[in-house]
Amino acid sequence: MSTAFGQLSDNNSDTIPVATAMRIGIVVAEWNRPITGKLLEGACNTLQRHGVDPDNIHVARVPGSIELTFGAKQMAEQLDVDAIIVLGCVIRGDTSHFDYVCSSVTQGITSLNVKYDIPFIFGVLTTENIQQAEERAGGRLGNKGNEAAITAIKMFDFCCRLKK
């Protein structure tokens, strides 16, 4: 998340738990692939940098952002993972389609967080234009895929600490 106080990706790596035991799923939308591909790259690089074995990163692609919820649900039910990162990009157009897609995917991912005992990390860009998307996919505002990976690691650690 980017605010006047900085970005999550600015976190000092000393504050990010080691993630060597973590198994993670990533569901990524194919729509707006130049953006979602950069988000995916950022997430995978960050996970590996913090100790996640590349063999423990499971990536699945779905056609668009509406399909992210179903893809994440299937991943939770079919794979043994500790967290699922959901990556997509919805760019406002001239119709209300943007509002319906953003609302649907937000509500869908929220409902998965309530239903399952693993965290689902919302890494869907909802921007007014392509420039804003590019700025958040490795541009001047960082890479939100990186931030989603950090959030997944921290939420996995949070869950582990609660179980002790």
Side-chain angles (χ1 to χ4, degrees):
M1 178 165 68
S2 179
T3 69
F5 301 108
Q7 302 174 45
L8 183 59
S9 53
D10 291 338
N11 262 339
N12 181 334
S13 38
D14 294 340
T15 66
I16 301 170
V18 176
T20 54
M22 192 173 186
R23 297 171 317 275
I24 187 132
I26 303 175
V27 181
V28 59
E30 293 174 339
W31 195 259
N32 290 319
R33 193 178 195 125
I35 300 298
T36 62
K38 290 177 185 175
L39 297 174
L40 176 61
E41 181 181 348
C44 290
N45 288 343
T46 297
L47 290 167
Q48 290 176 42
R49 190 170 52 252
H50 292 284
V52 179
D53 185 323
D55 291 337
N56 288 335
I57 301 172
H58 305 279
V59 176
R61 290 176 173 77
V62 296
S65 291
I66 288 286
E67 294 78 25
L68 288 168
T69 301
F70 181 78
K73 177 182 182 287
Q74 290 301 306
M75 187 170 273
E77 292 178 354
Q78 305 298 325
L79 298 177
D80 181 21
V81 292
D82 301 304
I84 296 175
I85 298 171
V86 180
L87 300 174
C89 177
V90 186
I91 300 171
R92 186 177 298 279
D94 295 330
T95 69
S96 58
H97 182 73
F98 172 88
D99 299 312
Y100 296 117
V101 172
C102 293
S103 179
S104 175
V105 72
T106 301
Q107 290 176 14
I109 300 309
T110 299
S111 71
L112 293 175
N113 271 304
V114 173
K115 181 176 180 178
Y116 291 90
D117 288 331
I118 61 170
F120 290 79
I121 309 306
F122 188 86
V124 179
L125 299 181
T126 56
T127 65
E128 296 294 319
N129 53 54
I130 189 71
Q131 179 184 347
Q132 289 178 349
E134 289 170 344
E135 289 172 344
R136 290 158 177 80
R140 72 178 183 89
L141 294 176
N143 187 313
K144 302 309 173 185
N146 171 31
E147 294 181 15
I150 291 168
T151 301
I153 292 167
K154 287 186 170 194
M155 289 304 296
F156 170 66
D157 181 65
F158 171 82
C159 292
C160 290
R161 285 184 284 118
L162 285 178
K163 291 177 183 176
K164 289 182 180 179

